């Protein structure tokens, strides 16, 4: 499954290695295991919060792409509100673990990108209301 919209991939820049921008969790599903749906995976991502902002990462618009394969493999491309975010090294792992906890997900890979940069235009209406950004 693919969410229409922005799809971005990071070209390595001098600084952190690619592994510092990628996290993996989960295990392959046994054959015949029902695969999680889009709504269940999104619900898991909504449990992850940027520690400095009282809104979940999904409603903040930090999820750029979500793919769920027929075998339960999940790939997420995400960003942060700012490249210098103090949780940059932790956030992909937090998302990977949250998604891997959903029944029907297999291996989960979360890739952190900064191009294109996140903007407040990506926030949901709920996020704008929570942050008083009308």
């Amino acid at each position: 499954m693919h969410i229409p919209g922005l799809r971005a991939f990071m070209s390595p820049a001098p600084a952190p290695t690619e592994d510092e921008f990628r996290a993996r969790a989960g295990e392959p599903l046994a054959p015949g295991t029902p695969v999680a749906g889009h709504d269940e995976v999104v619900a898991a991502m909504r449990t992850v919060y940027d520690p400095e902002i009282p809104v979940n990462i999904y409603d903040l618009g930090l999820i750029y792409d979500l793919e769920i394969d027929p075998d339960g493999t999940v790939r997420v491309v995400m960003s942060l509100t700012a490249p210098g975010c103090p949780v940059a090294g932790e956030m992909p792992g937090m998302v990977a673990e949250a998604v891997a906890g959903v029944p029907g997900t297999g291996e989960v890979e979360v890739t952190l990108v900064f191009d294109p940069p996140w903007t407040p235009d990506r926030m949901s209406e709920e996020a704008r209301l929570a942050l008083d950004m009308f």
Side-chain angles (χ1 to χ4, degrees):
M1 190 175 304
H2 176 77
I3 294 178
L6 189 58
R7 182 163 180 115
F9 294 95
M10 180 176 175
S11 55
T17 66
E18 185 177 314
D19 288 341
E20 290 178 292
F21 291 102
R22 192 176 309 262
R24 292 180 176 85
E27 298 179 6
L29 288 179
T33 302
V35 174
H38 174 266
D39 292 343
E40 291 87 2
V41 173
V42 168
M45 288 191 282
R46 282 189 164 128
T47 68
V48 180
Y49 285 75
D50 181 317
E52 298 178 347
I53 303 172
V55 176
N56 69 73
I57 61 162
Y58 191 83
D59 288 325
L60 275 175
L62 299 179
I63 303 302
Y64 283 9
D65 193 40
L66 167 62
E67 292 180 18
I68 304 170
D69 291 345
D71 68 356
T73 299
V74 178
R75 281 181 293 286
V76 176
V77 177
M78 68 173 293
S79 191
L80 300 172
T81 55
C85 179
V87 295
E90 300 169 34
M91 191 65 71
M94 293 165 60
V95 174
E97 290 296 327
V99 172
V102 176
T105 59
E107 295 176 298
V108 178
E109 179 180 87
V110 178
T111 304
L112 182 63
V113 298
F114 295 105
D115 185 29
W118 175 87
T119 67
D121 295 338
R122 296 189 50 81
M123 291 191 304
S124 70
E125 186 174 326
E126 292 83 7
R128 290 178 197 281
L129 289 171
L131 298 174
D132 290 326
M133 296 179 73
F134 301 99

